[in-house]
Amino acid sequence: SPLRYLGYANEVGESFRYQFSRLVTPSYVLAFGYCTADAITSGYDVMSNPNISCDEDRMHDAARATIDTMVWQSLASVA
């Protein structure tokens, strides 16, 4: 989906750093916002999975999916 490109908004902001320096910070806000939203969505998808019967397992798997996605998206998109 086109929303995936928001993860790379900071690259656009950095490329215009010297022409429009005030746009750099908002571009990072967009990129981290996308990373956070994607991580929350991944965790929610796991929590909504009816195939995991135990609530404790579901919470553990959701936390793992959220953290994994946040780390991956942060490293792939922002770092």
Side-chain angles (χ1 to χ4, degrees), residues 54-73:
C54 179
D55 284 339
E56 187 174 315
D57 290 342
R58 190 179 298 175
M59 289 286 285
H60 181 263
D61 290 349
R64 180 197 273 168
T66 302
I67 292 168
D68 180 58
T69 303
M70 188 65 182
V71 169
W72 168 251
Q73 287 292 354

Side-chain angles (χ1 to χ4, degrees), residues 11-40:
E11 299 295 332
V12 175
E14 286 292 338
S15 68
F16 290 109
R17 176 180 285 279
Y18 298 108
Q19 291 85 6
F20 306 105
S21 61
R22 69 177 193 270
L23 296 178
V24 174
T25 301
S27 71
Y28 275 92
V29 170
L30 279 174
F32 274 115
Y34 169 76
C35 294
T36 302
D38 193 30
I40 291 170

